[in-house]
Amino acid sequence: MSHDHAIIVYFEGWINSLEPIHRLSEQLRELLDSIDGAVFDGHEIALDGSHGTLYFYCDNAKELWGLIKPTLLAADLIKCKEAMLRLGKPGTDAEEIIINLP
């Protein structure tokens, strides 16, 4: 599988412990274990713990978004603010969809 699509999720939240992001990461990995054609590639967190990014690669970003969105919105201590769905290979003129989250 080529995983040409991507989802990048931006979150906020005062993270004084890595436990909430590790718990969310484990939930996402368990969810994606049963989905062919998708991978959770991890996260980045600002040094001050104020914000971060989650990375997903897949064959169909719109379909994967529908599956992961409930888990992301239910995360404790982390507020997902925006998601960018890239519908094609990096370095191309692939369509990008920006989703603002409540």
Side-chain angles (χ1 to χ4, degrees), residues 22-63:
H22 287 170
R23 185 172 50 246
L24 176 60
S25 295
E26 185 60 31
Q27 291 171 341
L28 291 166
R29 280 191 174 81
E30 287 175 9
L31 176 64
L32 296 185
D33 278 349
S34 63
I35 300 171
D36 201 26
V39 64
F40 172 55
D41 195 36
H43 60 269
E44 292 181 340
I45 299 173
L47 288 176
D48 67 359
S50 63
H51 63 279
T53 310
L54 303 167
Y55 299 94
F56 302 85
Y57 301 100
C58 57
D59 298 326
N60 185 324
K62 290 181 180 179
E63 183 178 306

Side-chain angles (χ1 to χ4, degrees), residues 44-92:
E44 292 181 340
I45 299 173
L47 288 176
D48 67 359
S50 63
H51 63 279
T53 310
L54 303 167
Y55 299 94
F56 302 85
Y57 301 100
C58 57
D59 298 326
N60 185 324
K62 290 181 180 179
E63 183 178 306
L64 181 59
W65 177 246
L67 295 170
I68 64 173
K69 182 179 175 182
T71 301
L72 294 170
L73 293 179
D76 59 339
L77 303 178
I78 297 169
K79 173 126 175 93
C80 295
K81 300 293 286 180
E82 183 179 274
M84 190 274 297
L85 282 60
R86 188 190 70 230
L87 309 179
K89 293 182 180 184
T92 68

